[in-house]
Amino acid sequence: QLVESGGGSVQAGGSVTLSCAVTASTYFRKFCMGWIRQAPGAEREGVASIESDGVTAYYADSVKGRFTITKDRAWNALSLQMHSLKPEDSAMYYCATVPSYGGDSCGQVLTEYNYLGQGTQVTVS
């Protein structure tokens, strides 16, 4: 239901855009969405979240000013534009929706969601 693409290897300072195709978009329409990442041996980290309005977005301090989360008008795709990448951005990135706490909105960058995609790897060297 959530399928990510766009990951790969990039040099430090470079840019990558991740995309997430959302099926069953009518059901997910009312929920916020986000991107989370997890590096080997590290805790899962919320990167960015966006409300169902597609306007209100939240970012982790570590990516603020470098990453941009967007949701298209048809609500069938989510993107994460990543610029000025650093080696510490290397991780598996997951598209996610339906906050685990039970509400519809995010209110902040969330890490726990009920639905995740299979992930796409980003490696910055």
Side-chain angles (χ1 to χ4, degrees):
Q1 291 172 318
L2 303 174
V3 181
E4 304 94 336
S5 61
S9 298
V10 62
Q11 291 188 337
S15 300
V16 169
T17 296
L18 306 182
S19 298
C20 174
V22 183
T23 59
S25 60
T26 300
Y27 169 74
F28 292 128
R29 187 180 300 272
K30 67 175 182 175
F31 297 106
C32 73
M33 297 189 70
W35 291 92
I36 61 176
R37 67 186 181 186
Q38 188 166 24
E43 295 284 328
R44 186 172 290 182
E45 176 188 13
V47 175
S49 300
I50 189 166
E51 300 290 5
S52 59
D53 63 6
V55 175
T56 307
Y58 314 91
Y59 297 92
D61 288 342
S62 58
V63 307
K64 201 169 293 184
R66 300 188 298 121
F67 290 13
T68 302
I69 185 172
T70 57
K71 189 173 76 173
D72 79 352
R73 291 183 179 181
W75 216 100
N76 62 358
L78 186 73
S79 297
L80 184 69
Q81 298 174 18
M82 307 188 293
H83 301 289
S84 303
L85 284 163
K86 306 174 182 179
E88 51 263 44
D89 293 318
S90 296
M92 186 72 78
Y93 283 72
Y94 299 90
C95 173
T97 190
V98 186
S100 294
Y101 79 90
D104 298 344
S105 64
C106 288
Q108 60 182 345
V109 177
L110 295 184
T111 301
E112 300 298 326
Y113 296 85
N114 289 341
Y115 291 89
L116 271 66
Q118 83 288 350
T120 186
Q121 178 69 38
V122 174
T123 302
V124 185
S125 58

